[in-house]
Amino acid sequence: MSKITKEELDSMAKQPKKEDKDWIKVGMSSCGIAAGAEEVFKTLTEEVKKRNIKVAIKKCGCAGMCSVEPLVEVNVEGMPQVTYGKVNKDVAIQILDDHIHSHRLVNDHIYDIQAKKPNG
Ligand code: FES
């Protein structure tokens, strides 16, 4: 397991940029990394590039749900913002196939869901 640098922690604390309309954030707290978040981040990054999907992949810090790490938060236009838990490599690919591509939620892994404001 690699050490997290101060620069990486600072970048994790930043929210997605305004120009990043659609994004996926992977929780990289110590419990997330222990549960496999690095593999999930790598899988999402590689698959998004391979499939030429226009979605930003970000790292973030603690989401306060250690027991269901790795956590992945997904925000795409026309969908509620969803936090998925217990995400492994296969679930990460399912999120890309179902949530991102087909606009269907991955029901078995939803841990939080936020409706968006009509204009938000
Ligand atoms: S320390 Fe595990 S979610 Fe914050």
Side-chain angles (χ1 to χ4, degrees):
M1 181 167 57
S2 58
K3 268 188 169 177
I4 298 177
T5 65
K6 182 179 181 325
E7 289 73 27
E8 286 173 320
L9 280 174
D10 288 345
S11 95
M12 287 180 202
K14 290 179 186 161
Q15 292 299 309
K17 295 176 197 145
K18 283 212 182 327
E19 62 265 26
D20 294 332
K21 196 173 54 172
D22 295 343
W23 47 261
I24 298 174
K25 291 195 290 186
V26 181
M28 301 295 278
S29 57
S30 55
C31 56
I33 290 170
E38 286 176 324
E39 184 184 39
V40 170
F41 182 83
K42 185 171 175 260
T43 299
L44 288 168
T45 304
E46 288 173 357
E47 290 296 320
V48 160
K49 191 174 179 186
K50 201 188 300 177
R51 300 168 188 212
N52 199 24
I53 300 170
K54 302 287 180 242
V55 63
I57 309 294
K58 309 271 185 183
K59 294 179 179 179
C60 67
C62 172
M65 293 190 280
C66 297
S67 61
V68 294
E69 293 280 358
L71 287 160
V72 171
E73 199 174 343
V74 180
N75 183 71
V76 294
E77 195 171 6
M79 300 279 289
Q81 188 173 310
V82 177
T83 302
Y84 292 109
K86 297 188 177 180
V87 177
N88 59 21
K89 188 176 177 175
D90 292 340
V91 176
I93 290 171
Q94 193 181 358
I95 288 169
L96 292 179
D97 288 342
D98 292 358
H99 191 128
I100 305 293
H101 183 262
S102 302
H103 283 194
R104 280 194 325 257
L105 300 181
V106 182
N107 292 327
D108 294 348
H109 289 269
I110 296 172
Y111 283 87
D112 191 28
I113 188 161
Q114 295 173 27
K116 292 179 185 168
K117 295 175 193 162
N119 296 327

